[in-house]
């Protein structure tokens, strides 16, 4: 199982939009895929029209084992399962803090299901917390959507500093531009500046598009409800790039 995180300290940058579409594309290529919603807001659970069981909560999640097995749900798409979040995940930091090896708890939980899936995709909440450190330890690759503005770039630089300070391997960290408005000269300038900076920046740029925004109305990945659209094609390009980074080829769907 290869674990991919969609992560950013910043909120509202396109983590969930990417997680949902990438998970759908991976599963459509017949990769057994699990998307794990780590955000108490539950956006990826919402997009797949899935609700967690009433009695599921953050303490059960961090216990792992049968609590995970019981709460993984099938989606409407073949090969794609989802582990929904609950509002109680707002306490996930506290629940993790109570565990031994608290920074490696998620890694341990996910190891128990590693033979059941080819890809695990983590839809992360914004912020930098114990949950985030668990994500950094549990993930093989971390993908950071970056809106090309000064503040986003500053936040990304802070993340790189954090990785260096805590001795996480920044080689596993990749950024891609998100919500790009190509008419904005600031966006263009920022993208050129960052691309010349020598970090891992993916080639695919996700533009700002209303059909991506409409995922909230259709409650489906755009790659499912508008598979022929430009937006779907661009996410497919992102997936192909990411699949390549993980060393996997195209599996036939
Ligand atoms: N490329 C895009 N073009 C237009 N709208 C987008 C795009 N990507 C995401 N959105 C919209 O912007 C909002 C935020 O996107 P999304 O939920 O993916 O961000 P996020 O980083 O997961 O946010 P959070 O930090 O709250 O979890 C959503 O309403 C989404 O539909
Ligand atoms: Mg989100």
């Amino acid at each position: 199982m290869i674990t991919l995180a969609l992560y950013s300290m910043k909120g509202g940058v396109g983590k969930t939009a990417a997680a949902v579409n990438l998970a759908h594309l991976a599963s459509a290529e017949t990769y057994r895929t699990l998307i794990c919603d780590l955000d108490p807001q539950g956006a990826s659970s919402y997009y797949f029209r899935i609700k967690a069981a009433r009695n599921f909560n953050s303490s059960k999640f961090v216990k792992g084992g049968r609590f995970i097995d019981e709460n993984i749900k099938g989606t409407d798409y073949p090969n794609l399962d989802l582990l929904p979040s609950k509002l109680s995940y707002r306490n996930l930091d506290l629940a993790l803090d109570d565990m031994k090896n608290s920074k490696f708890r998620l890694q341990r939980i996910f190891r128990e299901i590693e033979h059941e899936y080819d890809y695990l995709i983590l839809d992360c909440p914004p912020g930098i917390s114990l949950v985030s450190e668990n994500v950094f330890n549990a993930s093989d690759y971390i993908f950071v959507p970056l809106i090309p503005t000064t503040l986003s770039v500053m936040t990304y630089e802070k993340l790189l500093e954090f990785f260096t300070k805590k001795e996480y391997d920044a080689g596993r960290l990749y950024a891609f531009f998100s919500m790009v408005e190509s008419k904005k000269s600031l966006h263009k300038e920022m993208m050129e500046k960052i691309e010349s900076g020598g970090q891992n920046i993916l080639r695919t740029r996700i533009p700002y598009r209303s059909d991506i925004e409409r995922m909230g109305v259709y409650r489906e990945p755009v790659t499912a409800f508008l598979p022929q659209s430009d937006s779907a094609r661009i996410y497919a390009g992102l997936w192909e790039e990411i699949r390549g980074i993980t060393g996997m080829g195209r599996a036939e769907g």
Side-chain angles (χ1 to χ4, degrees), residues 2 8 22 24 33 41 44-45 67 70 87 89 146 170 175 201 209 224 227 229 244 253:
I2 298 170
S8 166
L22 293 169
H24 175 248
T33 306
Q41 297 176 93
S44 47
S45 311
F67 293 114
E70 284 169 10
L87 192 58
Y89 277 26
L146 204 58
I201 309 286
R209 288 280 160 81
S229 65

Side-chain angles (χ1 to χ4, degrees), residues 45-60:
S45 311
Y46 177 84
Y47 283 136
F48 287 111
R49 304 160 191 258
I50 286 172
K51 260 194 170 167
R54 192 183 279 224
N55 62 1
F56 186 54
N57 58 35
S58 55
S59 325
K60 286 186 175 162

